[in-house]
Amino acid sequence: MRGSKVGVADLKRLKKDLQEERERAALAPQRAAAAPARAASPPEDDLAAFKRSMKSVTPIRHAERVTHKPAAEPAPALRRANALGETPNRADAGVSDGGEITHLLSEAGTAFVRGDVAPDTARNLRRGQWRAGAELDLHGLRVEQARHALLSFLDECQEHGIRCVRIVHGKGYNSEGLEPVLKDKARTWLVQKAEVMAFSEAPEREGGAGALLVLLRQSEGPRK
């Protein structure tokens, strides 16, 4: 009899476990369907919490912002002069922006040849007799910046024994009134530079009316 009672209790317990397992299995699909809805709600709650927290934040005013600009690096000639304790003269000292030079130009104002140079020098420049060893692009510079850049560039080129250079001054498409401001200025500056033997408007493949090929006097070699 004792063994029978134990067996009946075990059967009741087993029946109860089976019933609970059936109930859990029946509720499983409902819980799975409700789970995504609960998972999707936190982002909305997070957004609302973020908005509430940002109400107490004060934006930085534009005037209070600090902008760190890199220090301008001096040109090679200026670095060398500073190292030697020298005070270099500006390359464009004594060079003016104005003056009538039309009578000095040739080939409809597109070329210049100094009096002590062969008359066909500008034509030979355009034909490629001298290959350009360096190039300067003046796009985006104001007149005073372009003047100093161009004449400093010529000094550097002559110092390193470069005879032919290419100067890109543009055709004025980005200037006010589409006027090629630097075109005439560059010619005026070059005529005043004694080291310039000749210059000519570049061929189309090298910039055409927006560039000049410039021939410099041959120096004794790179300076030390």
Side-chain angles (χ1 to χ4, degrees):
M1 290 297 294
R2 184 176 180 180
S4 299
K5 290 181 179 179
V6 173
V8 170
D10 291 341
L11 289 174
K12 289 181 177 180
R13 191 181 303 111
L14 179 61
K15 181 180 179 180
K16 183 179 180 180
D17 292 343
L18 290 173
Q19 186 175 357
E20 291 178 353
E21 184 175 352
R22 290 193 189 98
E23 292 176 354
R24 285 196 299 270
L27 292 175
Q30 299 176 6
R31 291 175 180 172
R38 288 197 300 271
S41 60
E44 297 181 3
D45 296 339
D46 292 343
L47 180 59
F50 174 75
K51 289 181 177 179
R52 285 196 302 271
S53 63
M54 290 300 293
K55 288 181 179 179
S56 60
V57 176
T58 304
I60 299 176
R61 296 180 182 178
H62 181 73
E64 296 174 352
R65 296 179 181 176
V66 178
T67 303
H68 297 280
K69 296 182 179 180
E73 185 178 354
L78 184 56
R79 289 200 305 267
R80 182 172 60 251
N82 290 336
L84 297 175
E86 300 174 350
T87 304
N89 294 323
R90 284 182 61 91
D92 57 348
V95 176
S96 67
D97 298 335
E100 179 56 48
I101 64 167
T102 306
H103 62 286
L104 300 174
L105 303 180
S106 59
E107 301 183 28
T110 63
F112 165 76
V113 179
R114 205 166 289 281
D116 58 345
V117 180
D120 60 347
T121 302
R123 192 174 300 109
N124 290 333
L125 256 175
R126 193 164 49 253
R127 290 174 177 173
Q129 181 170 330
W130 296 275
R131 173 177 290 185
E135 178 181 301
L136 175 66
D137 192 337
L138 300 177
H139 279 102
L141 299 182
R142 297 192 301 271
V143 171
E144 61 273 14
Q145 293 174 326
R147 181 181 63 245
H148 186 250
L150 188 151
L151 298 176
S152 298
F153 171 72
L154 295 182
D155 285 349
E156 288 284 336
C157 290
Q158 195 169 37
E159 180 178 354
H160 291 87
I162 300 174
R163 291 208 66 196
C164 182
V165 299
R166 181 168 170 261
I167 307 294
V168 180
H169 50 65
K171 299 180 182 180
Y173 294 145
N174 295 324
S175 62
E176 186 177 353
L178 303 181
E179 289 293 331
V181 178
L182 294 179
K183 180 177 180 180
D184 292 335
K185 297 292 185 186
R187 286 163 166 75
T188 301
W189 300 330
L190 291 171
V191 167
Q192 296 175 70
K193 189 75 171 173
E195 291 81 1
V196 173
M197 299 174 62
F199 63 74
S200 174
E201 187 176 285
E204 284 300 321
R205 65 179 181 277
E206 296 185 40
L212 290 173
L213 294 175
V214 183
L215 185 67
L216 300 174
R217 292 191 185 277
Q218 192 165 14
S219 62
E220 298 177 355
R223 301 173 190 171
K224 298 181 180 180

